[in-house]
Amino acid sequence: SPTSESQTAGTNFNRLSIGLDRAWLRWEPRYNLHADLGRMGVPFDGTDLLWPDDLSVDGVSGRTELDLASGLYAFAVTGAFPLEEFAVSRSDKWLLGGQVGIDWDTGGPWQMRASLGLYDFRGMAGRREDELPPTGALAGVQPYQLSQYPAAVRQKGNTLINLNAPASTAAPVWGLASKFRPVNLTLGLVAKHFDPVHVGLSVDVVKNTGFDLADIVERAGTTAVSSLREKTLGYQARLNIGKPKLQEAGDWSTFIAWRHFERDAWIDAFTDTTWHAGGTNYKGFSVGGQYAFDKRAPLGLRFTSTRNLDDGVRFLAIPGDETSISGNLSSAPL
């Protein structure tokens, strides 16, 4: 999983593989301008609604900052990150992103921050094949089902379509139904009235503007998805109280957060696994805190409670039998 750092132990004494989490080169021609190339942390501003703390991305990014006034500066970030590359096609999958924002320290007890990000997941939407897989000499060298959403990375929540040709009897190969062009707005406010204890409130909202039902029906090759509902909004509110950094013994911080995350607001592969065990299509809350029992050595505890969002889709499992009302996967409890 791209959002997990877990390692499975017990491989019959075989050697363990070591993954390179982050390693990049930075070019900084000016104090307020730099470009990064390699495997890096997510360069965009935001909360864990979209960007888990342990997520790393491969690619190139650039950031610039501009002083507007005393205590007020603007910033802009852009980046291009390959998600999946193919040797037999130019239909590679990419994440392209851009973000602008401002940070204002009033010089008093208030600090404010706002950012607006636009993202485009290129080549991720699934497209159903018209013909059966190529065989013979063409097998493996002719592009086929390259738009699949690999089981190795997907988690749960996104709407999927079957990519197999209509004449296929094989097990389904799944692809994303919606295109993903999310718009993300993040607002943050910090009160320093009780310094060194800070009180911070952040609101993070994402809306996937790539959802187009007519386009989904065309790519799915069936009208069975024509009643699909648009569920493309996600938002989170989070309150933090405590020290902004836990560096000395006795430092502490607490938080409480509420989240509502509809199924096609964001690609579920890149979501935080500490919420809902990963994925989208849920609502819930999280509460927790940290305490530094020694210098730069905190211990944290968190409790998270979530449940599936119910789309309200109901039907009669047995036509004419009013007692056989049922739902589907979008109304299943979790």
Side-chain angles (χ1 to χ4, degrees):
S1 169
T3 59
S4 174
E5 295 180 341
S6 298
Q7 171 66 49
T8 300
T11 59
N12 294 319
F13 308 123
N14 286 324
R15 295 179 177 88
L16 293 177
S17 299
I18 296 200
L20 193 61
D21 188 37
R22 292 178 183 176
W24 72 95
L25 298 175
R26 171 168 292 182
W27 176 50
E28 192 167 3
R30 296 180 55 184
Y31 75 94
N32 62 350
L33 175 66
H34 69 252
D36 294 338
L37 173 66
R39 183 168 177 82
M40 66 198 80
V42 176
F44 302 109
D45 185 68
T47 72
D48 60 348
L49 177 67
L50 302 188
W51 305 119
D53 293 337
D54 55 0
L55 181 64
S56 299
V57 293
D58 305 311
V60 59
S61 70
R63 180 185 176 98
T64 184
E65 298 177 357
L66 178 65
D67 290 326
L68 301 177
S70 177
L72 176 65
Y73 79 90
F75 62 89
V77 186
T78 186
F81 311 98
L83 301 175
E84 190 172 7
E85 184 180 6
F86 302 109
V88 295
S89 171
R90 295 182 180 179
S91 302
D92 295 340
K93 300 176 182 179
W94 286 80
L95 167 59
L96 308 179
Q99 184 183 62
V100 294
I102 57 171
D103 195 310
W104 183 26
D105 190 335
T106 64
W110 296 101
Q111 183 174 354
M112 289 169 277
R113 188 176 182 90
S115 63
L116 178 66
L118 305 176
Y119 306 101
D120 186 3
F121 289 88
R122 292 282 182 91
M124 291 291 289
R127 179 171 292 278
R128 192 173 191 179
E129 298 289 344
D130 298 321
E131 305 292 338
L132 292 174
T135 58
L138 296 179
V141 297
Q142 181 172 305
Y144 193 77
Q145 290 184 335
L146 300 185
S147 64
Q148 69 173 293
Y149 188 24
V153 298
R154 71 173 184 256
Q155 298 192 70
K156 58 182 179 295
N158 291 157
T159 306
L160 305 178
I161 57 176
N162 186 2
L163 305 186
N164 286 348
S168 175
T169 58
V173 174
W174 300 107
L176 288 167
S178 177
K179 292 181 179 178
F180 284 83
R181 297 191 182 97
V183 178
N184 177 225
L185 175 65
T186 305
L187 303 173
L189 178 65
V190 177
K192 306 177 184 177
H193 297 75
F194 311 103
D195 198 57
V197 173
H198 293 182
V199 179
L201 175 65
S202 66
V203 177
D204 202 355
V205 182
V206 61
K207 173 68 175 179
N208 176 22
T209 65
F211 187 96
D212 184 333
L213 186 55
D215 175 65
I216 294 173
V217 171
E218 188 273 329
R219 286 184 289 101
T222 175
T223 59
V225 295
S226 58
S227 61
L228 181 64
R229 300 185 182 184
E230 181 176 342
K231 299 292 183 178
T232 56
L233 179 66
Y235 53 86
Q236 173 178 285
R238 180 180 174 114
L239 176 67
N240 295 283
I241 302 176
K243 292 285 191 71
K245 294 183 179 180
L246 306 187
Q247 295 183 322
E248 301 295 335
D251 288 353
W252 59 272
S253 68
T254 62
F255 78 91
I256 184 170
W258 167 262
R259 179 179 294 187
H260 176 102
F261 213 1
E262 294 179 352
R263 64 178 182 229
D264 291 321
W266 188 252
I267 292 185
D268 61 38
F270 308 122
T271 54
D272 192 341
T273 55
T274 61
W275 283 83
H276 206 58
T280 61
N281 197 46
Y282 66 89
K283 64 180 179 180
F285 71 91
S286 184
V287 59
Q290 295 185 87
Y291 179 80
F293 59 88
D294 202 350
K295 186 175 182 179
R296 296 181 181 176
L299 181 66
L301 181 68
R302 167 169 47 194
F303 176 82
T304 303
S305 175
T306 60
R307 73 172 57 239
N308 265 19
L309 292 174
D310 185 348
D311 284 359
V313 177
R314 300 292 186 272
F315 60 91
L316 296 180
I318 303 175
D321 183 357
E322 298 296 332
T323 66
S324 68
I325 189 168
S326 184
N328 59 16
L329 287 178
S330 66
S331 57
L334 183 63

